[in-house]
Amino acid sequence: MKRLCGNLTFWDSNFTKHTDLPDLPACFQLSVLPWAPCIFLWLTSPFYIFYLKRNNRGYIMMSILNRIKTVLGLILWIVCWTDLFSSFHEMSQNQLKPPVYFVTPLVLGMTMLLATFLIQFERLKGVQSSGVLFIFWTISVLCAIMPFRSKIMNASQAENDKLRFTMFYIYFGLTLLQLILSCFNEKPPLFSSVVTDPNVCPETTAGFLSKMTFWWFTRMAIKGYKSPLENKDLWSLNKHDSSELVVPNLLNEWEVEKSKAQSEQSVKEQAAFRKAGPGAEPNHVSVSPEEEEVLLSKRKEARQPSFLRALLRAFGPYFLIGSAFKLLQDLITFVNPQLLRMLIAFTKQPQAPSWWGYSLAFLMFSASLLQTLILHQHFQYCFVTGMRLRSGIVGAIYRKSLVITNEAKRSSTVGEVVNLMSVDAQRFMDLTTFLNMLWSAPLQIVLALFFLWQNLGPSVLAGVAVMVLLIPFNAFIAMKTRSYQVEQMKYKDERIKLMNEILNGIKVLKLYAWETSFKQKILQIRQKELHVLRKASYLSALSTMAWTSAPFLVALTTFAVFVTVDVNNILDAEKAFVSLSLFNILRFPLNMLPQVISSIVQASVSLKRIQGFLSHDELDPESVDRRNNASEYAVSVVNGKFSWAKQDQAALDNINVMVPQGSLLAVVGHVGCGKTSLVCALLGEMEKLEGQISIQGSVAYVPQQAWIQNATLRDNILFGRPYAEQKYRCVLEACALTPDLEVLPGGDQTEIGEKGINLSGGQRQRVSLARALYSGADVYLLDDPLSAVDAHVAKHIFDNVIGPEGALKGKTRILVTHGISFLPQVHNILVLVEGRVSEMGSYQDLLKQNGAFAEFLRNYSLEDIIEDDDVTDLLVDDEEEEFPDDALSNHTDMVDNEPVVNEARRHFMRQMSIMSNDPENPKKMSRRRRCSERRHLESPSEKKELKVEKLIQAETTETGRVKLKVYWEYAKAVGPLLSLFICVLYGCQSATSIGANVWLSEWTNDALLNRTQDRVHMRVGVYAALGISQGVLVMFSSFTLALGKIQAARKLHQTLLDNKFHTPQSFFDTTPIGRIINRFSKDIYVIDEVLPSTVLMFLGTFFASLSTMIVIIFSTPIFALVIGPLALIYFFVQRFYVATSRQLKRLESVSRSPIYSHFSETITGTSVIRAYGRNTAFVLLSDMKVDENQKSYYPGIVSNR
């Protein structure tokens, strides 16, 4: 520095610290202070420019604000270089100046040019507010404050250097102005979503300062404080947090991981085959059975694709930003103990200047403030990562559930998959919050021990030994917790699966009065689950005791060893309280590390489950050839062999079917012969072992069990297609749904409950058929759609929809049926016997062959003639008549009890069949005309205004503060006396903690009275007794809390279960199953695991705060005057923010149920969704529901900042 500054002083303690008017030396002011902001900007600029190039947000028009910033930047450059040219001028006048007068203005001028360039570059890249430049201007102003003060103090000496003084004042004023201007935002970029979205989140347009302090959230907080928030008050989800971007990103990484695993496996297999002897055949036939078995086992052991790697690549970079904030916060944490050391030293020096004490106090406050700001930024990044993780996992699971094979469905039940979406995804979300502690905790421990070594010397090793001894104990607890976690999740899956089945069949349960037996089944599983939870809770109590006692045991052993190893070692206030502050820093990582390890263990279980589900085999989309080849056959199967799972026996074998375009093929056979399997094979739902399938054009599918959505009747029929009134009316007429609309309360706008709960079986089937008819597909696969409707309705549907003269005339139809009366009217009949095509041909040809078809007719003839008898009666009465008896499908078939049906009736039936086939039949023609006539008769003005009643009511949310009754209910579930006892134990625990600190204070006073050696053993003994008693009380309180938690979990679940089994059927008709499942999965998980840990934290924090206040008031009574105003401020802030936070939590809980409802609904209708090619639409709907949930979750996490 001598060469740089010449004769100018760089540092002088007498000039800076030991004086009542401190100042900084001239060299320091000319070098370090101006260079600090320059170094920051030049170091960060390359990374920042690279980041801006990669993240172009659009183009911002040049604004007045931008022009002013640019002009000020250029003026600053001129001001800095005016100093430089002034120095050159002085040099020409033989006035020698040290090099610092040339270097500093040059560096400053270049930096101002860089800052001006960044102002314009940010505008071109769409940055509305710059964090880098805000920090730069802040450092510049802070570094210029001391020189500014110094120049004012030395203004009288400025006669010789007026230019530099003037330039510096201008420089200071302009940098301060730049700092103020950088607090304001630019306009949004052109064509950005901010302009188009009516309810955009203010965060997208918030400035750097607003983002750092979360000021942008204030508007919602005020609104939530004034009145309870509603869904319409929520902001749109940020684009980069939406499922639209998050899920594809995760799935792309997962596909990369899967392809890597497959390529590795193929390389290994090739290597394995190459290892065969030189004379060996390259053919697989030459491999012996033993070798083949070894090769197969190797294949099974091949590396599974890692879902963890996919998660890290998808969400890791964003999470690392939070990690950087955490690193910064960890380093700042250790500033305060050093400042405390200096403050204690200051109190020991009566002659020290008072400004030094105030400065230290201010620096401690500033360090804490900065630490808080940085910590909450870290939490924000962690929580947003968790939110994205959940969106990604839920989206991936939903997409996978649409394409998994039937074999995979056997191993992954609906209950298990719902748990994957709720509990397992939630575990990942919870883990991200404290995942950084995995590296942060060891770093904090190492730094704390380093500073403790400086303070207490080698005695710290005793404390390290205690920590090392606790590691195996914590490791054992973590291993046992993992095993319990696996076991608990198994029981949870069983419980949710059974609950799902019970809710699906609740009507049957209630009709048979089976509630008690099924309730016992659920409670048996719950008992096993709680037994595992109890063991895990006891382990958790031991773990709590260990991590609460660990910092104290470390402090005790360190202090005890320190005072006993050497007579000269005296425990004074500085050593004790600086060490204690470091031990308190040590407390958090020591507390958190076992918990984080435990959470990682739990998340690893969840990861394995999710990875297992996502690794399931998928249906092969290429198994059915959908290419439009120029062929006369619309559907063809050649040498087809199909099974439900790869290792299963073939359900269909040697299938050869050719269906000409526009023909009607009937598939008949005995029960279990493979009719439905054939339809599933044509849809690509089965495993194709051999052969080829080809279908030309789009497909419509009517399953045997109709799948109905929880939507309006019209939406069920339209199924995502645009509404065309004429076509829609004709479809309703053809499917005999018109009379039903007159009975339903809201017509076609009537909301249908889950699984069509408020429709009869016949109505559901006709809605399913109407959906197929409205779709206008090329090929129709009809899996016995007429079995669920009455005979006369079946006749109507066949004539008007399926038959040769029906609405589907000219379309390719494959009809699975048992109705013999319709068979003479079909073009071809396929007879299946035990999974094989027995014969195929026209009705007459098959009768002549007298084979399997003739036998089938003989078996079903009696039933069919009885059904035909009913049809005859109705036709004779009035074929034109509407079907009022079937308005709610209450028609009862009239069964003819005569054992022998006479031949005359058979002859009459044949005549009726011929008559119904006659195209000139006027009655038939009148039926076909009815659709158009009805359309003309019903004018819009005459239509009845139907009052649409909503069947499924939206889930309601509580408003306002949580009532005391809710807390009391939980306390009652725990047990009132037990609750009180837990509080007393926590109070005693805090009392012993206060006692230990007071005793330590007394111990340090011994150093002042020179009586340290007399009382060492007594001081150590009492301190140890107080600490150990605190540990024992912690263990007792944790055990009693565990007991109470299990008791509450059992009572609350049993009460919920009792209530649901005693709830009337109408509740289940109007409440989605997903909503009820949400109560039994996520909410019970909260009661079991989340709520007790929250209670633990609340009690710990409450009593710790209380004990701290008592100690402060005891030592400094005047502090009692400050407590009142402080308490009022905290109370108001708490009331202000909690009102919003609480309501957002409620909205988030309510918006979670539709995710599971929609998922449960989708699972049951996957084959229909795939057949109609509606996968994408349903995926978008699921994403929308997840985003709707995250819309309330995101402001919820911000409100807690």
Side-chain angles (χ1 to χ4, degrees):
M1 295 307 287
K2 184 77 175 168
R3 291 175 64 187
L4 185 70
C5 296
N7 296 325
L8 299 174
T9 311
F10 179 73
W11 192 258
D12 184 356
S13 296
N14 293 321
F15 191 59
T16 54
K17 186 179 174 184
H18 306 298
T19 175
D20 288 332
L21 278 173
D23 200 1
L24 292 170
C27 180
F28 192 87
Q29 289 187 26
L30 286 168
S31 58
V32 175
L33 292 180
W35 292 357
C38 300
I39 292 166
F40 166 78
L41 194 63
W42 284 101
L43 285 176
T44 54
S45 289
F47 302 104
Y48 188 50
I49 290 166
F50 177 72
Y51 168 77
L52 290 177
K53 279 190 172 182
R54 293 284 299 272
N55 296 274
N56 192 351
R57 298 172 197 172
Y59 173 85
I60 298 174
M61 294 286 286
M62 179 80 83
S63 64
I64 296 169
L65 179 66
N66 194 269
R67 285 191 181 100
I68 294 169
K69 284 181 184 177
T70 308
V71 169
L72 289 178
L74 291 170
I75 294 171
L76 277 165
W77 167 63
I78 293 165
V79 165
C80 293
W81 278 21
T82 302
D83 263 4
L84 179 66
F85 292 127
S86 169
S87 298
F88 279 119
H89 175 71
E90 286 171 349
M91 192 171 71
S92 67
Q93 298 292 323
N94 294 323
Q95 294 179 19
L96 292 175
K97 290 280 183 182
V100 73
Y101 282 94
F102 296 92
V103 175
T104 298
L106 179 68
V107 171
L108 271 176
M110 296 294 288
T111 308
M112 292 308 157
L113 281 176
L114 176 62
T116 309
F117 163 74
L118 284 176
I119 288 167
Q120 286 305 312
F121 192 65
E122 284 174 341
R123 180 181 67 81
L124 295 172
K125 296 297 177 183
V127 177
Q128 291 177 259
S129 177
S130 172
V132 170
L133 286 178
F134 178 84
I135 295 168
F136 167 70
W137 296 123
T138 305
I139 298 170
S140 297
V141 170
L142 289 174
C143 289
I145 287 171
M146 278 307 289
F148 184 70
R149 174 183 172 273
S150 183
K151 285 194 178 351
I152 290 172
M153 285 168 62
N154 303 322
S156 58
Q157 301 168 17
E159 295 298 325
N160 303 328
D161 213 353
K162 284 183 181 177
L163 179 66
R164 277 200 181 84
F165 270 69
T166 309
M167 288 300 110
F168 182 79
Y169 293 142
I170 294 169
Y171 168 82
F172 182 75
L174 291 177
T175 49
L176 187 60
L177 193 57
Q178 283 279 35
L179 175 60
I180 293 164
L181 290 175
S182 65
C183 297
F184 296 98
N185 283 10
E186 292 283 355
K187 292 174 184 174
L190 294 174
F191 315 114
S192 67
S193 60
V194 178
V195 183
T196 54
D197 194 338
N199 202 20
V200 70
C201 180
E203 187 189 11
T204 52
T205 56
F208 174 74
L209 199 60
S210 178
K211 283 182 180 176
M212 286 300 288
T213 56
F214 300 96
W215 185 256
W216 57 269
F217 179 75
T218 309
R219 200 172 76 203
M220 183 176 277
I222 293 167
K223 188 182 280 187
Y225 180 67
K226 287 179 179 176
S227 60
L229 289 172
E230 295 174 28
N231 217 41
K232 61 182 172 58
D233 298 322
L234 300 175
W235 298 312
S236 301
L237 199 63
N238 291 330
K239 188 78 173 171
H240 42 261
D241 296 331
S242 65
S243 300
E244 183 186 349
L245 293 181
V246 170
V247 183
N249 184 24
L250 175 60
L251 289 176
N252 289 341
E253 297 297 348
W254 174 236
E255 287 303 319
V256 167
E257 191 56 37
K258 283 204 292 187
S259 60
K260 273 186 186 175
Q262 284 169 2
S263 62
E264 279 181 28
Q265 188 175 336
S266 62
V267 166
K268 282 178 185 175
E269 283 177 6
Q270 285 173 11
F273 279 113
R274 281 174 191 158
K275 280 180 185 176
E281 293 282 332
N283 199 340
H284 185 67
V285 178
S286 65
V287 180
S288 67
E290 292 82 6
E291 287 172 332
E292 189 176 345
E293 195 176 329
V294 170
L295 287 170
L296 284 170
S297 66
K298 280 183 181 176
R299 187 178 295 180
K300 283 175 189 172
E301 290 167 13
R303 180 175 83 80
Q304 289 291 319
S306 170
F307 188 58
L308 179 63
R309 284 203 193 99
L311 288 173
L312 289 173
R313 280 202 297 270
F315 306 112
Y318 185 83
F319 184 72
L320 281 174
I321 301 170
S323 303
F325 277 113
K326 181 63 180 162
L327 177 63
L328 203 57
Q329 188 259 338
D330 285 351
L331 297 175
I332 296 169
T333 304
F334 289 94
V335 171
N336 266 342
Q338 305 312 314
L339 292 172
L340 179 66
R341 182 199 303 276
M342 294 161 81
L343 193 63
I344 293 170
F346 165 77
T347 57
K348 289 180 180 178
Q349 299 169 0
Q351 72 280 9
S354 58
W355 68 266
W356 181 236
Y358 288 120
S359 301
L360 287 171
F362 177 75
L363 283 171
M364 288 177 84
F365 171 75
S366 302
S368 298
L369 187 67
L370 187 62
Q371 188 183 337
T372 304
L373 283 173
I374 292 169
L375 180 65
H376 284 294
Q377 286 300 318
H378 155 250
F379 276 133
Q380 177 71 358
Y381 276 94
C382 290
F383 275 112
V384 171
T385 306
M387 187 178 88
R388 291 181 184 178
L389 260 173
R390 180 169 168 257
S391 290
I393 290 170
V394 169
I397 290 167
Y398 185 86
R399 284 159 175 78
K400 185 72 179 184
S401 65
L402 284 172
V403 292
I404 57 170
T405 60
N406 290 289
E407 184 182 3
K409 282 182 181 175
R410 292 176 192 172
S411 58
S412 296
T413 61
V414 177
E416 186 181 332
V417 181
V418 167
N419 266 346
L420 288 177
M421 292 178 88
S422 57
V423 179
D424 293 302
Q426 187 68 35
R427 283 198 198 287
F428 272 98
M429 205 171 178
D430 297 340
L431 176 65
T432 52
T433 316
F434 294 108
L435 185 60
N436 278 315
M437 288 305 296
L438 203 60
W439 60 264
S440 171
L443 174 69
Q444 287 184 55
I445 290 167
V446 167
L447 285 173
L449 290 174
F450 170 74
F451 288 118
L452 280 166
W453 182 284
Q454 284 190 329
N455 204 31
L456 298 173
S459 308
V460 174
L461 292 173
V464 174
V466 172
M467 284 193 286
V468 169
L469 288 171
L470 284 171
I471 289 169
F473 179 71
N474 284 327
F476 168 76
I477 287 174
M479 283 168 60
K480 291 299 289 180
T481 304
R482 179 190 166 87
S483 62
Y484 289 150
Q485 180 68 31
V486 174
E487 195 178 350
Q488 189 193 345
M489 287 308 294
K490 187 183 80 173
Y491 292 133
K492 200 186 285 283
D493 286 346
E494 273 183 44
R495 179 170 58 81
I496 298 296
K497 177 192 169 190
L498 182 57
M499 201 67 224
N500 197 58
E501 289 170 357
I502 287 169
L503 292 170
N504 282 322
I506 192 71
K507 186 179 276 187
V508 177
L509 252 73
K510 285 186 172 292
L511 290 172
Y512 281 100
W514 284 344
E515 292 99 328
T516 310
S517 58
F518 274 90
K519 186 166 75 174
Q520 288 306 316
K521 278 189 172 184
I522 288 276
L523 290 174
Q524 280 170 11
I525 299 169
R526 178 66 175 165
Q527 187 57 40
K528 290 176 186 173
E529 189 185 343
L530 288 177
H531 181 65
V532 177
L533 190 65
R534 182 187 287 109
K535 290 193 284 187
S537 300
Y538 289 159
L539 272 180
S540 177
L542 282 172
S543 177
T544 306
M545 184 201 72
W547 59 250
T548 306
S549 304
F552 170 78
L553 288 171
V554 170
L556 172 68
T557 49
T558 306
F559 288 154
V561 170
F562 178 74
V563 294
T564 51
V565 291
D566 193 344
V567 180
N568 299 320
N569 285 349
I570 297 168
L571 192 67
D572 58 5
E574 186 181 325
K575 280 188 170 61
F577 289 105
V578 170
S579 299
L580 214 55
S581 71
L582 288 165
F583 284 132
N584 281 335
I585 291 171
L586 203 58
R587 181 187 292 272
F588 185 70
L590 283 175
N591 288 359
M592 287 307 301
L593 199 56
Q595 288 187 44
V596 171
I597 291 166
S598 176
S599 296
I600 288 170
V601 164
Q602 291 177 3
S604 69
V605 174
S606 296
L607 178 73
K608 194 175 178 184
R609 284 157 54 84
I610 293 168
Q611 187 173 296
F613 179 76
L614 293 177
S615 301
H616 279 322
D617 290 336
E618 296 180 7
L619 292 167
D620 182 12
E622 303 300 319
S623 64
V624 179
D625 184 6
R626 293 291 179 94
R627 288 172 295 189
N628 286 324
N629 302 322
S631 169
E632 59 180 303
Y633 297 109
V635 179
S636 62
V637 183
V638 181
N639 297 327
K641 186 177 182 181
F642 307 96
S643 70
W644 287 105
K646 282 179 181 175
Q647 71 272 20
D648 285 5
Q649 194 176 349
L652 296 171
D653 194 9
N654 195 24
I655 303 294
N656 287 283
V657 181
M658 299 288 183
V659 185
Q661 290 193 0
S663 67
L664 171 57
L665 171 71
V667 180
V668 297
H670 295 291
V671 175
C673 67
K675 299 186 293 296
T676 298
S677 297
L678 178 62
V679 174
C680 290
L682 293 174
L683 288 169
E685 298 283 319
M686 294 182 74
E687 294 285 351
K688 185 175 74 173
L689 305 176
E690 291 174 15
Q692 293 177 336
I693 310 174
S694 175
I695 294 181
Q696 291 192 30
S698 55
V699 173
Y701 171 50
V702 180
Q704 202 166 7
Q705 295 291 326
W707 177 68
I708 305 295
Q709 284 181 276
N710 174 210
T712 63
L713 187 73
R714 180 185 288 184
D715 289 340
N716 267 288
I717 294 169
L718 299 183
F719 205 49
R721 286 176 174 77
Y723 175 67
E725 188 171 0
Q726 183 180 345
K727 181 183 177 183
Y728 179 71
R729 292 287 166 200
C730 289
V731 166
L732 290 179
E733 181 64 36
C735 295
L737 280 167
T738 312
D740 297 302
L741 297 188
E742 293 167 9
V743 178
L744 292 169
D748 67 350
Q749 291 300 318
T750 303
E751 189 179 5
I752 310 303
E754 274 194 316
K755 301 188 179 180
I757 198 81
N758 52 336
L759 295 179
S760 66
Q763 284 173 320
R764 286 199 290 270
Q765 197 61 270
R766 279 179 283 134
V767 170
S768 180
L769 194 63
R771 179 193 295 149
L773 181 55
Y774 191 85
S775 70
D778 301 312
V779 177
Y780 288 79
L781 303 177
L782 312 169
D783 190 1
D784 208 5
L786 305 176
S787 61
V789 296
D790 297 334
H792 63 288
V793 182
K795 176 77 175 164
H796 173 90
I797 289 171
F798 187 85
D799 290 343
N800 286 274
V801 181
I802 303 167
E805 298 300 322
L808 295 177
K809 179 177 65 174
K811 302 278 188 179
T812 307
R813 292 141 291 160
I814 297 176
L815 172 69
V816 173
T817 185
H818 288 106
I820 294 173
S821 60
F822 307 125
L823 295 181
Q825 300 176 58
V826 304
H827 298 117
N828 285 302
I829 300 168
L830 185 145
V831 184
L832 279 174
V833 177
E834 294 179 359
R836 291 171 178 268
V837 178
S838 172
E839 46 194 345
M840 183 177 172
S842 67
Y843 183 79
Q844 297 299 330
D845 292 344
L846 293 179
L847 277 179
K848 286 174 188 173
Q849 289 177 20
N850 195 24
F853 179 66
E855 186 189 342
F856 172 77
L857 285 182
R858 282 194 290 275
N859 286 343
Y860 284 90
S861 60
L862 181 63
E863 289 176 40
D864 196 57
I865 289 163
I866 291 166
E867 285 179 9
D868 286 348
D869 184 24
D870 299 329
V871 177
T872 308
D873 293 342
L874 284 160
L875 289 169
V876 169
D877 288 344
D878 187 0
E879 193 169 332
E880 282 284 295
E881 187 183 36
E882 301 275 347
F883 302 100
D885 290 339
D886 190 55
L888 289 169
S889 287
N890 289 329
H891 174 79
T892 309
D893 290 337
M894 301 296 289
V895 180
D896 192 347
N897 291 321
E898 291 181 19
V900 181
V901 181
N902 59 43
E903 188 60 35
R905 183 173 287 177
R906 288 174 188 268
H907 180 67
F908 177 68
M909 284 302 301
R910 278 197 294 276
Q911 280 184 331
M912 288 300 299
S913 178
I914 293 161
M915 189 170 71
S916 66
N917 286 329
D918 185 5
E920 299 304 317
N921 186 347
K923 292 182 178 180
K924 187 80 176 181
M925 292 299 288
S926 67
R927 259 201 310 275
R928 283 199 292 273
R929 284 199 308 271
R930 193 180 302 148
C931 173
S932 57
E933 284 171 8
R934 180 176 292 261
R935 189 165 36 82
H936 291 303
L937 285 168
E938 256 184 35
S939 64
S941 59
E942 291 171 359
K943 282 183 186 174
K944 286 190 288 182
E945 286 293 323
L946 293 169
K947 186 185 176 185
V948 182
E949 292 179 9
K950 193 151 178 66
L951 178 76
I952 306 293
Q953 298 299 324
E955 195 170 351
T956 55
T957 55
E958 292 287 333
T959 56
R961 69 177 66 184
V962 179
K963 296 178 179 67
L964 284 171
K965 185 187 170 189
V966 178
Y967 295 113
W968 175 238
E969 284 297 327
Y970 188 71
K972 275 202 301 185
V974 172
L977 288 174
L978 197 60
S979 302
L980 188 65
F981 185 55
I982 290 166
C983 291
V984 169
L985 282 172
Y986 269 93
C988 294
Q989 175 192 324
S990 295
T992 53
S993 176
I994 293 170
N997 286 331
V998 170
W999 187 257
L1000 187 65
S1001 177
E1002 288 294 318
W1003 188 357
T1004 57
N1005 289 338
D1006 289 351
L1008 301 173
L1009 304 171
N1010 292 321
R1011 55 184 187 194
T1012 50
Q1013 288 307 308
D1014 304 339
R1015 303 184 173 193
V1016 165
H1017 296 295
M1018 185 264 286
R1019 292 294 188 195
V1020 171
V1022 173
Y1023 190 59
L1026 286 165
I1028 291 164
S1029 59
Q1030 184 189 355
V1032 171
L1033 284 165
V1034 167
M1035 187 178 69
F1036 272 115
S1037 55
S1038 300
F1039 269 106
T1040 47
L1041 189 63
L1043 281 171
K1045 152 183 161 178
I1046 300 298
Q1047 200 165 313
R1050 180 186 288 108
K1051 279 184 185 174
L1052 292 169
H1053 176 268
Q1054 190 158 357
T1055 309
L1056 178 64
L1057 193 66
D1058 285 344
N1059 181 273
K1060 285 295 132 289
F1061 273 119
H1062 287 94
T1063 304
Q1065 181 61 36
S1066 58
F1067 171 81
F1068 298 99
D1069 293 349
T1070 57
T1071 307
I1073 288 173
R1075 193 181 294 175
I1076 305 170
I1077 288 290
N1078 189 15
R1079 299 289 87 82
F1080 280 95
S1081 61
K1082 178 69 199 310
D1083 291 353
I1084 289 294
Y1085 159 74
V1086 169
I1087 287 167
D1088 286 355
E1089 298 181 46
V1090 179
L1091 202 56
S1093 61
T1094 309
V1095 169
L1096 182 79
M1097 277 195 291
F1098 168 74
L1099 288 171
T1101 309
F1102 174 76
F1103 282 107
S1105 305
L1106 192 67
S1107 60
T1108 305
M1109 279 194 286
I1110 289 167
V1111 169
I1112 293 170
I1113 291 167
F1114 180 74
S1115 59
T1116 317
I1118 198 166
F1119 181 73
L1121 297 172
V1122 185
I1123 285 179
L1126 270 178
L1128 278 173
I1129 292 166
Y1130 274 107
F1131 178 72
F1132 172 74
V1133 170
Q1134 190 255 358
R1135 285 276 315 266
F1136 181 69
Y1137 281 101
V1138 166
T1140 306
S1141 177
R1142 182 178 54 222
Q1143 197 60 19
L1144 285 167
K1145 192 74 182 166
R1146 285 168 174 162
L1147 288 171
E1148 190 268 329
S1149 182
V1150 166
S1151 61
R1152 200 188 310 121
S1153 299
I1155 298 170
Y1156 308 134
S1157 295
H1158 176 69
F1159 177 72
S1160 300
E1161 190 175 77
T1162 304
I1163 283 283
T1164 53
T1166 45
S1167 54
V1168 176
I1169 294 164
R1170 283 195 291 263
Y1172 284 94
R1174 298 280 298 155
N1175 295 43
T1176 308
F1178 273 78
V1179 162
L1180 286 173
L1181 191 59
S1182 172
D1183 286 353
M1184 189 185 77
K1185 289 181 186 297
V1186 171
D1187 286 350
E1188 197 65 28
N1189 178 239
Q1190 303 289 38
K1191 257 171 67 177
S1192 49
Y1193 176 77
Y1194 182 64
I1197 59 176
V1198 175
S1199 69
N1200 291 331
R1201 301 279 65 79

